[in-house]
Amino acid sequence: MAVQRLYYRSFAGGKVSRELWGRIDDGKYQTGLAECVNFMVRPTGAAENRPGTQFVAFAKYHDRPCRLIPFTFSTDQSMVLELGHQYVRFHTMGQTLMLGGQPYEVAAPWTGDMVKDIHHVQSADVVTLVHPGMPPQELRRLGAAHWELAPIDFVPPNAGFSAGAAATTAAGMPPSMSYAYAVTRIRDADGAESLPVELPAVTNNLFITGNKNTITVTDFAAGTREYLVYKLQGGSFGYIGRIAGASKPSVVDDNIAPDMGRTPPRYDPTLADNWPSAVSYFEQRRVFAGPARAPQNVWMTRSGTESEVTYSVPVRDDDRIAFRVAAREVNAIRHVVPLSSLLLLTSSAEWRLTSVNSDAVTPTSVAVKPQSYVGASNVQPLVVGSSALFGAARGGHLHEIGYNWQAQGFVVGDLSIRNADDFDLKAVVDLAYCKAPYPVVWAVSSNGKLLGMTYVPEQQVGGWHTHETLNGEFESICSAAEYDFYDMPYVVVKRTLGGKVRRCIERLGWRVVGTAPIEPAYAYFMDCAVSRNEPGQTALCGLEHLEGEQVSILADGVVLKPQRVVCGQVKLPGPTTIATAGLPIKAFIRTLPVAVGNDPAFGQGRMKNVNKLWLRVHRSSSIKAGPTLEQLREYKQRTTEPYGAPPELISEEIELPIDGAWEQGGGQVYVVQSQPLPLTVLGMTAEVVFGS
């Protein structure tokens, strides 16, 4: 029998589906794993058990779904918005925004069944939310604890000036012609122009020298920058001058030829009662698309405005843009994604919006071209770097679309093809992206699992990992930038606690282990957990949400025997400074079937047995390994630490004999962390015995 030592230098390939286990020629096979449950792979190649989740709050309703979306006002001010049945709640830094002892909330027009299909985009302190079943809404942050939600008013402002505007004549000879004028108001706050108000016609003959008409505004409304005056000619109004208050209170028409290239705005009322399903921003315009009665139509507001959908005749470059995508099938536009071009994602195709013979997109330069025919689901896509990630309309996979210079267009690729087990016959129901401390794309699956992909495309890193939680199913996720070096994922978990269904808002905890002298005390590897830093505590309180559940406990870095929560607390063995308790997490990785290069058959078709491992670990504790999850050996790491103190975290290569098991074509091993302690595996060497 031959004995070989095989070195696993990296796990950055992440989980590889069983159907690819025969592809030992694939480069990702050499860095992949057969299973990666509650472990995360790092871009550097390490595999580490994921941090646990901190219990933040219960959702308002346990019997209705809710959803989380991010709000980032600045680099040091972020919120997580909880959208539920007719309400919005707010969470930040692991806590719920409270007012008067109650969660602060804003009333909302949507129902719980609608929240998963609400699409959103943020600009400064305004979040736009759209759904084809309600008018588009704006959620405005007026203060840390002052938010307002209101429907968008697409009608231009036109109040407060019509009664004070009039046209008068000064004629030396009998008049013989009728003259009509219109006035618009320019709002001072944002320069928005109102719809025109037509003034009563006057009669005169301006072809006679000395005759004139005077248009005056006597009631200069507050908040007005100026008024624009238009004159009727050939059935249309053209610009003739402006009124700017006391310094210029009127416009005198002594037969001025109107500028017919500048006409008063006209209002497109389509969006007032035909509500869009997609929204974004592009080239200083807010973009709406996909309403029920015009599913292939797109509207872009006037340049530099948020809600003006007015236009002029003849058309001007800054007018609103409105067009219909002419496609072979009537498939609604589900998403508008701003990259170097604006992407329109439908249920059957991906389209690219660009300009023709112009640097900017204008009403006369719009060009729409198909890029691919994959189709997107209704889950809001992610923008990651220069690409967009979206769920497929059919098949359940996650796709990437990005510009490819060789194709001179945008190309779609399947990101989940090597981990098809977690996507086939399922659906992605929510997406989030964390940039730091290393980039991870998070996807909530319809089966209740949380899927993560460590994603560094420029380094060809795209490793998947699977996450499960005890007595719970993940329903929603978002990411909030709460620290300079950390993005914090928040999740909605539907749990069965105490025999009842509860929806919990939880925050994925810290992976940083802490500092001496009690480094393990800061570990956070339990779900739905509560942690207290209170010197001298002899009981950990605040566990009412886990009443009756058996929980893992960590006291000053020491793992205690699991206890059942009684009266919202668990007992500690003595005065404790840092205590944490929560639902246990079992995390493990499993290697792929052994393949060796010094055999023409790569070692396939031969019995194999792994009898020893060398693990290079970093800041780790409680390390177990074995051929199955039931046959595990633990590394005995305690050396000089006094009794009752936690074992020191180790960063070295360790030798761990395991109970081998002969397998036909396998040679796979598990590395397991079942305690609420950190485990990071940098590399692994396996001593494999080959049979005949």
Side-chain angles (χ1 to χ4, degrees), residues 306-344:
E306 292 279 332
S307 55
E308 281 196 62
V309 285
T310 56
Y311 63 98
S312 305
V313 178
V315 67
R316 292 163 47 182
D317 285 349
D318 65 344
D319 280 350
R320 72 95 171 92
I321 299 172
F323 62 91
R324 175 182 174 272
V325 176
R328 296 179 300 177
E329 300 177 1
V330 181
N331 292 296
I333 297 172
R334 289 179 166 173
H335 312 286
V336 286
V337 183
L339 296 178
S340 57
S341 300
L342 187 68
L343 300 183
L344 309 176

Side-chain angles (χ1 to χ4, degrees), residues 634-656:
E634 183 173 0
Y635 176 69
K636 307 301 181 182
Q637 68 186 74
R638 184 180 292 276
T639 55
T640 60
E641 302 92 336
Y643 179 78
E648 293 183 1
L649 301 180
I650 56 175
S651 297
E652 58 187 65
E653 187 177 57
I654 62 172
E655 181 180 336
L656 181 58

